[in-house]
Amino acid sequence: QIEKCVELIMLEVNKDHPGKFSSDLSFQSKVGPVKWLDPYTEVVLEEMGKGGLKNVVVVPLSFVQEHVETLEEIDQEFKEVAEEHGIEKFKRVPALNSDPDFISCLADLTMAAISKPSLRVAETLDLYQKVAQPPSYSPLELGPTSKAEQINGRIAMLALASLAITQVIKSGCPDIAGPAIAGKEPFCAAFSADGWQWIFNLLAIFN
């Protein structure tokens, strides 16, 4: 899909000037030590700069909305990499966000999906990828496997939870005006002693 998307975009870009602009497909979002899809974007940018390229336009194909990977990783980190290797003009195409055509497309896909039988996630992937049986894998297998995705996701969530818990233990819970448990933000309350006090009070009533 991604490769086909690149092909269609370049057909449109070169519509009036066939062959004038070229493209390279690269990947980001690597988490943890497991091998990810390559070539990596920073490596491609380095090679482009060393090859004398001066102008680059980045199209974030897989990102449908602005978030940390477009606003920080692409706009700031990758821009720095590009400039360090001689690329003078580095631009990025905005994500689709709430573009009316994109929202209309999502609505059409949703309505079409509603009319079809419900499937589990694994069944949907097998159907979409036209795989009769899920591919086997070894726990030590490297590369973008389903197991690697699972491990990467769990490592990332564990890291975020550890960071949040450490912050709560170190600094405590700030008072907030919004939804709260015992006057605290719900996640923060879950890891603080005073956040649990309302449960103890409730149990005391029944005792």
Side-chain angles (χ1 to χ4, degrees):
Q1 282 185 324
I2 295 297
E3 292 175 351
K4 185 63 176 179
C5 192
V6 172
E7 178 186 336
L8 294 175
I9 289 175
M10 294 311 298
L11 284 175
E12 184 66 23
V13 169
N14 286 316
K15 182 172 59 177
D16 297 327
H17 306 280
K20 181 177 181 179
F21 301 102
S22 61
S23 66
D24 285 280
L25 177 61
S26 61
F27 302 88
Q28 63 187 94
S29 306
K30 181 178 182 295
V31 177
V34 180
K35 184 179 180 348
W36 187 236
L37 297 171
D38 54 17
Y40 299 139
T41 299
E42 55 265 41
V43 174
V44 171
L45 288 172
E46 291 175 6
E47 293 175 349
M48 286 179 171
K50 291 176 181 178
L53 193 66
K54 298 300 181 183
N55 305 310
V56 171
V57 176
V58 178
V59 183
L61 297 177
S62 298
F63 301 138
V64 298
Q65 63 187 32
E66 307 294 1
H67 62 307
V68 66
E69 293 185 85
T70 58
L71 300 174
E72 181 175 342
E73 191 169 15
I74 295 178
D75 290 358
Q76 298 179 40
E77 296 177 15
F78 288 165
K79 183 178 181 179
E80 289 180 4
V81 171
E83 292 175 344
E84 288 172 358
H85 290 83
I87 296 174
E88 298 175 355
K89 293 183 180 180
F90 182 90
K91 302 292 183 181
R92 176 178 65 84
V93 175
L96 295 171
N97 296 309
S98 57
D99 180 87
D101 289 338
F102 175 59
I103 299 302
S104 177
C105 178
L106 288 181
D108 292 341
L109 291 172
T110 300
M111 295 306 297
I114 290 175
S115 63
K116 297 178 180 178
S118 298
L119 296 174
R120 301 175 68 86
V121 173
E123 295 172 332
T124 303
L125 289 174
D126 290 342
L127 178 64
Y128 177 73
Q129 297 172 349
K130 297 181 175 60
V131 177
Q133 295 293 331
S136 61
Y137 57 81
S138 163
L140 299 178
E141 184 179 354
L142 299 178
T145 64
S146 57
K147 188 63 176 180
E149 279 285 272
Q150 185 181 56
I151 293 174
N152 277 345
R154 289 179 177 177
I155 290 175
M157 292 305 297
L158 180 61
L160 289 173
S162 299
L163 179 63
I165 294 170
T166 301
Q167 183 64 25
V168 170
I169 293 174
K170 180 180 178 181
S171 305
C173 296
D175 293 330
I176 63 171
I181 298 175
K184 308 295 181 182
E185 188 275 327
F187 181 85
C188 187
F191 298 102
S192 61
D194 56 341
W196 287 95
Q197 190 59 48
W198 69 277
I199 297 180
F200 301 144
N201 294 339
L202 182 63
L203 292 174
I205 294 175
F206 292 99
N207 292 334

